Amino acid sequence: MGAEYSSRPTLPEGGVCLAIEHDSAGCGPCGRRQWSDGPRPAWLSMRDGDWAAFSSEVGQLVRSYAPEGWGHVFMLVGFLVGLFVFHPSLGIVRTLDFELSASIGLMMFCMIGGLFAMLAVSIGGRRYNERVDEKIDAVCRAAAARANGGAITFVRLWTAPCKPKGARTFRAVYVYPLVPPGGARSSQGV
């Protein structure tokens, strides 16, 4: 159903896609995002030292991304602790002389606490990753200013928590020539 939503912006002719988080990644938000320190494209007029500094800085920022899928673990742990420790008929407290209302209260506290912990971890991780995205975007803009004859653009798609069914998060750096090989000046922006 969401396959039509997961298509990413088209890479201009002659360009290179340096994927950070590919939309066909297997694990999704639990997986590590990756940056490959690839060589500078031959057509890009940029000093090797500038390219190495750009690549190193983006790589460091990519490694600083927080995993976004771990919030559910907190909810699961809260639910399981509440159920198997404090539930009046299933939990460990049934063997103890524990008051029914206290047992139910502690069980609900664990379950609701797990829910709030999941929300806090998920929202906090996404906000942190949005700030990392902004830093990568700034690094790409600065590198693009030093690149002669090429553009360096940070592309992200479906990074928010709400997305169409089947759509996958995509993050990449597009490096492409302003004048495609053997052609007129590119008017296509990303």
Side-chain angles (χ1 to χ4, degrees), residues 35 46 50-59 139-140 143 146 152 173:
W35 176 255
M46 183 182 215
D50 287 344
W51 177 262
F54 160 74
S55 187
S56 173
E57 192 171 355
V58 171
V139 168
C140 288
R146 291 188 307 268
I152 301 174
V173 174

Side-chain angles (χ1 to χ4, degrees), residues 12 16 43-44 140 143-145 147-153 173-178 188:
V16 178
W43 47 262
L44 186 64
C140 288
N148 194 5
I152 301 174
T153 308
V173 174
Y174 282 3
V175 182
Y176 56 94
L178 293 176
Q188 183 177 9

Side-chain angles (χ1 to χ4, degrees), residues 11 57 66 72 94 115 129-130 151 155 169 173-175 185:
L11 180 65
E57 192 171 355
H72 295 83
R94 77 172 190 263
L115 176 68
N129 288 344
E130 286 173 6
V155 178
T169 300
V173 174
Y174 282 3
V175 182
R185 190 167 190 83

Side-chain angles (χ1 to χ4, degrees), residues 9-160:
T10 306
L11 180 65
E13 183 182 340
V16 178
C17 175
L18 304 172
I20 294 171
E21 184 173 5
H22 202 276
D23 51 2
S24 64
C27 186
C30 300
R32 300 290 296 167
R33 291 147 183 108
Q34 297 177 347
W35 176 255
S36 60
D37 290 330
R40 174 183 56 83
W43 47 262
L44 186 64
S45 296
M46 183 182 215
R47 292 188 318 209
D48 286 336
D50 287 344
W51 177 262
F54 160 74
S55 187
S56 173
E57 192 171 355
V58 171
Q60 186 177 13
L61 288 168
V62 167
R63 286 186 292 279
S64 75
Y65 274 120
E68 297 171 355
W70 289 101
H72 295 83
V73 172
F74 288 94
M75 184 177 77
L76 181 65
V77 168
F79 182 79
L80 292 175
V81 167
L83 187 66
F84 292 114
V85 174
F86 295 112
H87 191 278
S89 60
L90 295 175
I92 296 171
V93 298
R94 77 172 190 263
T95 60
L96 305 173
D97 189 21
F98 217 67
E99 202 170 307
L100 180 65
S101 61
S103 177
I104 292 174
L106 288 171
M107 178 184 73
M108 294 307 295
F109 176 78
C110 286
M111 290 180 175
I112 292 172
L115 176 68
F116 283 123
M118 177 202 69
L119 291 173
V121 167
S122 295
I123 291 170
R126 287 211 188 265
R127 284 187 180 158
Y128 176 79
N129 288 344
E130 286 173 6
R131 289 192 298 275
V132 172
D133 283 347
E134 291 168 3
K135 290 177 185 176
I136 292 174
D137 200 26
V139 168
C140 288
R141 282 194 310 271
R146 291 188 307 268
N148 194 5
I152 301 174
T153 308
F154 180 54
V155 178
R156 55 187 172 261
L157 188 65
W158 303 116
T159 57

